[in-house]
Amino acid sequence: MSSAALPLTRTLTAAAPVRLSSIEVRLVSLTLVRPFETSFGRTDTRTVPLVRMVADGVEGWGEIVADQEPLYSEETLGTAQHVLADCFIPALLGRPLSSVEDVAATLRRFKGHRMAKAGLELAFMDLAARSRGLSISQAIGGTRDRVPVGVSLGIEKTIDALVEQVLAHVAQGYQRIKLKIKPGWDLEVVRAVREAYPQGLLSVDANTAYTLAHTEHLRQLDAFDLLMIEQPLAHDDMVDHAALQRALRTDICLDESILHARGAAHALALGSCRLINIKIGRVGGYTEALGVHDVCQTHGAPVWCGGMLECGIGRAHNVALASLPNFSLPGDISASKRYWARDVITTPFEVAPDGTVAVPTGPGTGVEIDHAFLDEITVGRRAFTAP
Ligand code: NPQ
Ligand code: MG
């Protein structure tokens, strides 16, 4: 895609290069309002690493979406803290950085650890946009002032309990319901939900729980007019997904398998999927997320913003990203209260009755930290300063 088609501000070139004076990694502990169960496990509390950067009296905040255990991806809280402290932060401190691409370029020689890298890009983007008086949405060429949203509903003890959750969220305006499925919690569940919710946008997410041997079984999902089936097969597979997609009428959406823009291009070219969701953490930051967005746009494939049970900081970055033009399907960007009794930002995200979330217009992420609450839930912090 030619760079001429992109907004000039997309590179967010600072008036003068920024030199970060400090980077702090802070761990906060939050309890979900309701446990969340997927094919890989059940979560009820989260420890979330936040990144705070400071340069010239301006600060920026990012969030790292790695979990305690390597279940969604290889990364963990421990690996993220290690690579930040020992590799990534020393490479960034004191170095002149003109844009978020400079952050990406500085970290590129380090392989993997995308969630940790993304936390740094997020904080830098917030800081750089604030220092320019722009919202991140404006800075990256966002075109929406509200984004359509859906909700991801975990595995429940009974189908009745899930149907109750579905109806409660439909009543709140959510434009799309996503169900978590796994062998033993799939056809019967989807059938019951479809009966209760016959017309609306419905999708399913297997989080890698199936193999190609389940092809005939998964073909039965074609009867339910699903918007998509997300990540049915292994996280590191493209070829079996292509075979499965050929066998299914339902569109496959890849999540875990797409780690960068090149991978997105490969998946679309191979026919491994027809849709892709974008998670800034999974692909390593804004730079790569914009790349995936553009690859998909070029292929005529709409994208949507995935979710990783973020607190308000990560959620604000997701909302900014989802304001880009090719985010035309409702994202897993739910209201703060779907996950947290109290969020870490002063104005929690809300879903309007029309199933949209407002894109903040203030500088940077456009949200402010609730410092008193953040201090209360802080369980660890480590600060690094420029030499
Ligand atoms: C997905 N998220 O789309 C992910 C997976 C997921 C909202 O469905 C702790 C941290 C638990 C991250 C469980 C949603 C998690 C997690 C599931 C991410 O596949
Ligand atoms: Mg998923």
Side-chain angles (χ1 to χ4, degrees):
M1 172 151 179
S2 92
S3 61
L6 305 176
L8 189 61
T9 48
R10 202 153 188 204
T11 57
L12 207 80
T13 306
V18 167
R19 280 178 203 272
L20 299 172
S21 51
S22 75
I23 302 179
E24 183 184 316
V25 180
R26 194 196 271 234
L27 298 181
V28 299
S29 171
L30 284 158
T31 302
L32 289 166
V33 292
R34 184 185 180 83
F36 186 64
E37 185 173 332
T38 70
S39 63
F40 60 75
R42 191 174 166 90
T43 300
D44 51 22
T45 63
R46 298 213 62 212
T47 301
V48 181
L50 300 175
V51 178
R52 174 177 172 266
M53 286 182 177
V54 181
D56 305 319
V58 181
E59 65 176 33
W61 286 83
E63 174 171 343
I64 296 172
V65 298
D67 199 11
Q68 194 77 48
E69 296 180 297
L71 297 172
Y72 170 84
S73 80
E74 293 93 333
E75 287 186 79
T76 68
L77 287 179
T79 65
Q81 291 174 85
H82 153 55
V83 291
L84 286 171
D86 299 329
C87 313
F88 300 171
I89 290 175
L92 292 176
L93 279 173
R95 170 188 282 265
L97 299 164
S98 297
S99 66
V100 76
E101 284 85 352
D102 278 356
V103 175
T106 304
L107 302 178
R108 193 159 291 140
R109 68 196 176 93
F110 299 117
K111 308 296 186 290
H113 299 282
R114 294 181 175 84
M115 293 175 175
K117 289 175 178 171
L120 295 166
E121 274 201 37
L122 293 179
F124 188 88
M125 180 67 101
D126 186 29
L127 183 154
R130 280 176 198 267
S131 69
R132 294 267 304 256
L134 294 172
S135 70
I136 293 174
S137 172
Q138 286 176 308
I140 63 176
T143 54
R144 299 165 203 278
D145 58 6
R146 307 194 65 91
V147 298
V149 300
V151 66
S152 174
L153 299 176
I155 293 166
E156 294 281 342
K157 292 216 169 60
T158 64
I159 293 180
D160 283 351
L162 176 63
V163 169
E164 188 184 314
Q165 287 294 312
V166 169
L167 295 178
H169 286 87
V170 169
Q172 289 172 45
Y174 285 99
Q175 292 188 26
R176 186 228 59 201
I177 302 292
K178 167 169 132 182
L179 309 176
K180 292 295 188 179
I181 58 166
K182 65 176 183 180
W185 181 266
D186 49 22
L187 300 177
E188 215 190 318
V189 174
V190 176
R191 183 174 299 115
V193 169
R194 239 329 169 208
E195 244 164 62
Y197 180 55
Q199 303 294 339
L201 299 182
L202 181 65
S203 62
V204 294
D205 185 355
N207 289 111
T208 76
Y210 297 90
T211 71
L212 210 44
H214 292 100
T215 301
E216 282 313 307
H217 181 72
L218 292 171
R219 269 162 63 95
Q220 297 181 66
L221 288 170
D222 279 344
F224 302 114
D225 196 24
L226 300 176
L227 188 59
M228 66 189 81
I229 174 171
E230 188 177 332
Q231 197 69 41
L233 310 179
H235 70 101
D236 54 358
D237 170 79
M238 292 271 194
V239 174
D240 283 356
H241 273 113
L244 182 63
Q245 180 65 93
R246 282 192 294 275
L248 294 184
R249 197 161 53 84
T250 307
D251 289 347
I252 292 177
C253 172
L254 288 179
D255 172 354
E256 284 90 333
S257 293
I258 305 299
L259 303 179
H260 36 64
R262 177 169 41 79
H266 290 172
L268 292 167
L270 285 167
S272 313
C273 63
R274 300 192 187 119
L275 297 167
I276 287 173
N277 85 26
I278 301 182
K279 293 176 177 169
I280 311 177
R282 193 191 69 226
V283 302
Y286 272 104
T287 306
E288 206 62 34
L290 293 167
V292 175
H293 169 271
D294 295 348
V295 161
C296 291
Q297 190 159 37
T298 302
H299 275 78
V303 296
W304 55 279
C305 184
M308 291 293 288
L309 282 53
E310 291 88 348
C311 72
I313 295 169
R315 198 165 298 279
H317 284 286
N318 288 347
V319 171
L321 183 73
S323 72
L324 289 170
N326 196 35
F327 280 85
S328 48
L329 293 170
D332 279 348
I333 302 176
S334 301
S336 294
K337 71 168 189 190
R338 185 260 176 269
Y339 292 107
W340 318 113
R342 182 172 174 186
D343 205 339
V344 304
I345 52 177
T346 55
T347 310
F349 283 98
E350 286 179 1
V351 173
D354 70 348
T356 62
V357 165
V359 180
T361 54
T365 54
V367 298
E368 299 309 322
I369 309 293
D370 180 344
H371 288 284
F373 181 52
L374 204 65
D375 287 345
E376 258 177 58
I377 61 173
T378 295
V379 294
R381 60 203 297 178
R382 196 162 164 199
F384 305 84
T385 52

